[in-house]
């Protein structure tokens, strides 16, 4: 998870009354749901998450990219859609 995406999770926990396990579980569950529908190495998925500028849960979009890491094994990175 990129730093900016992690900041949103951290805000949801610290200021939105959520817990890390629950937010991460929701994120990975929604990622899995969308990933099962595609064979692409990149996808956009959505989830409800507390957003500090709004002060309530909001439907947020994330991008997940699957690529090789330091070894040939695949690595999945979750970020905001405008990040590279």
């Amino acid at each position: 998870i990129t730093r900016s995406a992690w900041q949103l999770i951290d805000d949801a926990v610290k200021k939105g009354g959520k817990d890390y396990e629950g937010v991460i579980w929701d994120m990975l569950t929604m990622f899995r749901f969308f990933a099962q529908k595609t064979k692409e190495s990149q996808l956009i998925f959505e989830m409800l998450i507390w957003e500090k500028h709004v002060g309530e849960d909001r439907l947020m979009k994330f991008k997940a990219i699957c690529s090789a890491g330091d070894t040939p094994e695949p690595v999945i990175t979750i970020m905001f859609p405008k990040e590279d």
Side-chain angles (χ1 to χ4, degrees), residues 2 5 13 24 29-30 35 38 49-51 64 78 82:
T2 61
V13 171
I24 299 289
T29 299
M30 293 310 296
T38 186
I49 190 164
W50 190 85
E51 216 275 315
I78 296 175
K82 293 181 181 182

Side-chain angles (χ1 to χ4, degrees), residues 37-52:
K37 296 180 178 188
T38 186
K39 299 282 186 204
E40 302 297 320
S41 61
Q42 179 174 302
L43 67 95
I44 301 291
F45 68 98
E46 299 174 321
M47 67 174 279
L48 281 174
I49 190 164
W50 190 85
E51 216 275 315
K52 71 179 179 179

